[in-house]
Amino acid sequence: MKNITKTMLAATLAIGVSATAHAAGADDVEAAYQQWNEAFNSGDAAAVAASYTDDAIFLPPTHDVVEGPEGVQSFFDGLFQNGVTDHQLEVINVMEDGDEIVAASRWSAKGGDGSDIGGIATHVFERQDDGSLKLKLHTFN
């Protein structure tokens, strides 16, 4: 009976730790999304690019493979020149595995003509030494 109790206690603690880690990962993603949206909505492509790792891959719906913060900055400079504003991200799901966090989200923005645009995005974040998240892979439609 003592072994069953110990096993049940260990399983309960493991579930609690997993739920706490997942909640922490989701909170970290929400914070990263808020920072990213603020950078985007300020129209500062360099600030957006600072959210990406040096070896980041960005896959926009243009089918281009954009590499690194410099490529990301160039892409978003083009969007800002075309008047895209008011970007928002809404978390659909977060999965965490060690220093990598995968998030799926809905995104929305205003097109240069004022139209509503949006779609689905997938983000792979890499936890940095200071605990913050940077994008290692970003794709959207």
Side-chain angles (χ1 to χ4, degrees):
M1 185 68 147
K2 285 185 181 180
N3 285 339
I4 293 172
T5 302
K6 286 180 184 178
T7 302
M8 290 176 58
L9 178 60
T12 301
L13 288 173
I15 290 169
V17 168
S18 176
T20 301
H22 179 73
D27 289 346
D28 292 344
V29 168
E30 289 282 359
Y33 279 172
Q34 181 178 353
Q35 180 182 12
W36 197 95
N37 284 328
E38 287 172 3
F40 185 103
N41 292 329
S42 73
D44 186 348
V48 172
S51 298
Y52 293 77
T53 63
D54 289 341
D55 61 345
I57 301 292
F58 176 60
L59 304 170
T62 59
H63 304 285
D64 292 327
V65 176
V66 178
E67 296 184 36
E70 298 81 17
V72 169
Q73 181 174 342
S74 178
F75 177 87
F76 285 102
D77 270 334
L79 282 187
F80 298 149
Q81 290 173 9
N82 285 310
V84 179
T85 61
D86 196 28
H87 192 276
Q88 297 300 316
L89 287 160
E90 175 190 341
V91 173
I92 296 171
N93 192 26
V94 174
M95 297 166 281
E96 185 170 7
D97 185 16
D99 286 338
E100 288 191 346
I101 298 175
V102 177
S105 65
R106 288 180 181 83
W107 67 271
S108 62
K110 291 285 184 188
D113 61 358
S115 63
D116 291 327
I117 57 176
I120 302 295
T122 303
H123 302 103
V124 176
F125 291 96
E126 183 177 78
R127 192 169 300 282
Q128 304 301 294
D129 290 338
D130 66 359
S132 66
L133 300 180
K134 285 197 171 192
L135 286 160
K136 188 166 184 73
L137 176 67
H138 176 183
T139 185
F140 72 101
N141 63 16

